[in-house]
Amino acid sequence: MLHQVLQHVNLAEQVLGVLPAGTGNDFARSLTSLRACRERIAHLAQLKVLPIDFGLINEVRFINSAGFGLDAATLRVRHTMVALLHRSYQAAFLYALVKMRPWELHVDVDGELLEGLFYWPLAMNTPYIGGGVKIAPKALIDDGLLDIVLIKQLPKLKMAQLLPAAAKGQHLHLPAVIYRQARKAVCKVSRPVDWMAVDGEERICSSREVSFSVQADKLSFLR
């Protein structure tokens, strides 16, 4: 819901806020410890309007996360498969991983060129994805940067074994992980990207180039 509202916010005139009543609450988790929705409402009068960043994937706004590859495939599984996979991000992630083909990427991250085979290019504005997985532990919503996470191709069993470390934000030292903080990243892809994952929503793409950019301090937000 937050993602959908963000697409229509008048940045010059409107203020956005959030109540932790979603399925994953990853953005709300980055603001404060999660409280019951009624308790959050009771504290609204104490919040201040402060500027925060949001991102663009191509021309689509995002407030928490955006990428393609494994995350987009996981969303497709969750939306089309049986109830167990719909409820569990981790179960859907593992199912998607089994069928995943790597992407041959040329990625320009603020002028640094990174090349290779990757399962997952991702841009983060907050630390959390997938209901609390701390995939970008250094991310801040007001630092004027996106946290770019690139997961290289590696044996799928080893990829699955990354999940416990990633859940705790303890994966950045691993050889399969490239982590950068940047204002812009442009991915040129070996085959068209059919689907993007944007704030937990599926978006049709059909492009061989995907760009991530930050809109620093452009969103007025209740914090």
Side-chain angles (χ1 to χ4, degrees):
M1 181 63 72
L2 185 59
H3 171 75
Q4 298 297 336
V5 172
L6 178 63
Q7 307 313 305
H8 303 284
V9 167
N10 183 323
L11 298 175
E13 299 180 1
Q14 293 181 308
V15 176
L16 188 58
V18 63
L19 297 173
T23 53
N25 289 319
D26 287 310
F27 183 80
R29 195 186 308 270
S30 71
L31 294 174
T32 182
S33 58
L34 291 178
R35 302 170 178 166
C37 191
R38 288 185 179 181
E39 184 180 352
R40 180 73 172 170
I41 292 171
H43 286 81
L44 284 177
Q46 302 172 18
L47 302 181
K48 298 179 180 179
V49 178
L50 296 171
I52 67 168
D53 308 334
F54 68 93
L56 294 177
I57 178 169
N58 293 348
E59 298 302 320
V60 179
R61 295 175 180 178
F62 68 92
I63 198 166
N64 192 72
S65 62
F68 61 95
L70 192 48
D71 190 28
T74 299
L75 288 179
R76 294 294 293 162
V77 169
R78 293 189 74 188
H79 291 169
T80 59
M81 298 299 289
V82 296
L84 173 63
L85 298 181
H86 179 77
R87 289 195 302 267
S88 170
Y89 181 89
Q90 286 78 12
F93 180 95
L94 293 173
Y95 186 93
L97 177 61
V98 170
K99 297 181 175 295
M100 192 71 203
R101 291 169 54 204
W103 298 86
E104 183 180 347
L105 298 182
H106 300 263
V107 188
D108 184 330
V109 184
D110 278 355
E112 178 187 5
L113 183 60
L114 302 168
E115 299 178 310
L117 295 173
F118 297 89
Y119 280 134
W120 193 5
L122 179 66
M124 296 294 299
N125 194 37
T126 80
Y128 300 103
I129 197 170
V133 176
K134 202 172 185 179
I135 195 75
K138 299 180 182 181
L140 298 171
I141 60 174
D142 55 4
D143 61 356
L145 299 169
L146 295 175
D147 287 46
I148 307 299
V149 186
L150 303 173
I151 306 298
K152 298 178 183 178
Q153 181 192 27
L154 70 164
K156 291 183 177 180
L157 180 58
K158 290 187 177 181
M159 182 74 181
Q161 292 170 346
L162 288 180
L163 278 176
K168 300 175 183 178
Q170 298 175 352
H171 57 293
L172 300 190
H173 67 286
L174 299 174
V177 179
I178 295 176
Y179 192 93
R180 298 287 189 272
Q181 293 180 302
R183 294 185 60 82
K184 187 172 183 178
V186 179
C187 300
K188 294 184 178 180
V189 192
S190 58
R191 64 184 189 272
V193 175
D194 294 327
W195 294 93
M196 306 182 299
V198 191
D199 291 333
E201 301 285 340
E202 296 172 87
R203 287 263 186 176
I204 293 175
C205 181
S206 300
S207 175
R208 289 180 181 267
E209 183 171 302
V210 177
S211 66
F212 308 100
S213 59
V214 69
Q215 304 296 298
D217 290 342
K218 296 294 187 182
L219 179 62
S220 298
F221 202 88
L222 279 176
R223 297 176 63 187

